[in-house]
Amino acid sequence: MASSTLSPSAPSQLCSSKSGMFCLSQAFLVKPTSTQIIRKETHKGMRLTCQATSIPADRVPDMGKRQLMNLLLLGAVSLPAGFMLVPYSAFFVPAGGQGAGGGTVAKDAIGNDVVAAEWLKTHGPGDRTLTQGLKGDPTYLVVEKDKTLATYGINAVCTHLGCVVPWNQAENKFICPCHGSQYNDQGRVVRGPAPLSLALAHADVDDGKVVFVPWVETDFRTGEAPWWA
């Protein structure tokens, strides 16, 4: 049975057979450095002749270049993604500056640092006004009867279900509007359903600014260890 072989002048035709079907390769347009003729008898008795080709070593893709391109692609994707994550990360960072001793500088209602001397000019004895305290929690600054700032701040978050408890000047106590819990003028619970007193924080003055520092000592109102520490 007749067989056909590839002509050296047609390197794109790699295989041929009596059936007239060809295997074409358009991917390699380089001149082969070596050829090998393989003849094989198929199970149907048809003789198949193939020409194997090899690629010069200098035309094989450089692995170093491929790795460099992969790194460039990774960098091009990572940089925009990183910039997009910055605003989301900042969302979880508590607002407010840090004091020299690791505390948090108190902020007023419009976000300015609370300067002790300026605060006392506009807040008289017995005043309890909300500021932004540790972890961003609403915290009362207390002005004593002698027109000085108290050395403690009172966290305004109710210990029942977390409502912000307002100061009631007429009643001289904190009264929760959600379920009626009440606390005295120092934040000690006097009526439920709240189970615990309001949390405390140290209110120090550092470089003229009020700085809240975590309270980890005994609660002076109850004589017990602080439940929030």
Side-chain angles (χ1 to χ4, degrees), residues 198-221:
L198 297 175
L200 295 175
H202 288 287
D204 300 333
V205 177
D206 185 2
D207 195 22
K209 297 180 179 180
V210 177
V211 178
F212 288 120
V213 179
W215 187 294
V216 296
E217 298 82 16
T218 300
D219 185 343
F220 67 87
R221 301 165 302 182

Side-chain angles (χ1 to χ4, degrees), residues 96-118:
Q98 295 295 316
T104 299
V105 177
K107 301 286 186 181
D108 62 18
I110 58 176
N112 295 326
D113 293 349
V114 175
V115 178
E118 296 298 323

Side-chain angles (χ1 to χ4, degrees), residues 79-94:
L79 285 176
F83 285 120
M84 291 175 63
L85 288 176
V86 170
Y88 292 98
S89 301
F91 176 79
F92 296 98
V93 178

Side-chain angles (χ1 to χ4, degrees), residues 136-149:
D137 285 350
T139 304
Y140 284 101
L141 269 183
V142 179
V143 179
E144 302 282 20
K145 294 180 179 180
D146 60 357
K147 298 183 180 181
T148 60
L149 283 175

Side-chain angles (χ1 to χ4, degrees), residues 168-190:
N168 189 313
Q169 182 70 44
E171 297 287 341
N172 196 37
K173 64 179 66 173
F174 298 97
I175 302 177
C176 182
C178 296
H179 301 95
S181 297
Q182 297 184 13
Y183 308 83
N184 69 7
D185 59 351
Q186 293 181 328
R188 179 175 179 175
V189 63
V190 294

Side-chain angles (χ1 to χ4, degrees), residues 17 31 33 44 52 55 60-61 66 71 74 81 92 96 127 149 158 175 179 195 201 205-206 213 218 222-223 227:
S17 68
K31 182 179 179 180
T33 58
K44 293 183 178 180
I55 302 174
V60 177
R66 294 178 62 184
L71 290 175
L74 179 62
F92 296 98
D127 181 78
L149 283 175
C158 183
I175 302 177
H179 301 95
V205 177
D206 185 2
V213 179
T218 300
T222 63
W227 60 264

Side-chain angles (χ1 to χ4, degrees), residues 1-211:
M1 183 177 294
S3 65
S4 60
T5 62
L6 284 176
S7 171
S9 62
S12 63
Q13 296 180 351
L14 299 183
C15 299
S16 65
S17 68
K18 182 178 179 181
S19 63
M21 298 177 64
F22 298 95
C23 300
L24 301 180
S25 173
Q26 299 297 335
F28 304 103
L29 300 179
V30 298
K31 182 179 179 180
T33 58
S34 63
T35 61
Q36 182 178 5
I37 305 301
I38 302 174
R39 290 182 175 85
K40 183 177 180 180
E41 295 291 338
T42 65
H43 67 283
K44 293 183 178 180
M46 180 174 61
R47 179 180 296 176
L48 181 67
T49 303
C50 295
Q51 177 176 295
T53 63
S54 63
I55 302 174
D58 60 351
R59 299 304 298 271
V60 177
D62 187 357
M63 183 59 69
K65 292 181 179 179
R66 294 178 62 184
Q67 292 177 344
L68 177 60
M69 292 301 295
N70 289 337
L71 290 175
L72 291 175
L73 178 61
L74 179 62
V77 174
S78 300
L79 285 176
F83 285 120
M84 291 175 63
L85 288 176
V86 170
Y88 292 98
S89 301
F91 176 79
F92 296 98
V93 178
Q98 295 295 316
T104 299
V105 177
K107 301 286 186 181
D108 62 18
I110 58 176
N112 295 326
D113 293 349
V114 175
V115 178
E118 296 298 323
W119 185 269
L120 291 173
K121 290 180 181 179
T122 56
H123 298 79
D127 181 78
R128 283 154 177 76
T129 300
L130 280 174
T131 60
Q132 181 175 286
L134 297 171
K135 301 180 180 179
D137 285 350
T139 304
Y140 284 101
L141 269 183
V142 179
V143 179
E144 302 282 20
K145 294 180 179 180
D146 60 357
K147 298 183 180 181
T148 60
L149 283 175
T151 57
Y152 61 91
I154 303 172
N155 191 306
V157 178
C158 183
T159 58
H160 180 219
L161 292 178
C163 297
V164 174
V165 183
W167 168 247
N168 189 313
Q169 182 70 44
E171 297 287 341
N172 196 37
K173 64 179 66 173
F174 298 97
I175 302 177
C176 182
C178 296
H179 301 95
S181 297
Q182 297 184 13
Y183 308 83
N184 69 7
D185 59 351
Q186 293 181 328
R188 179 175 179 175
V189 63
V190 294
R191 176 180 174 182
L196 300 166
S197 299
L198 297 175
L200 295 175
H202 288 287
D204 300 333
V205 177
D206 185 2
D207 195 22
K209 297 180 179 180
V210 177
V211 178

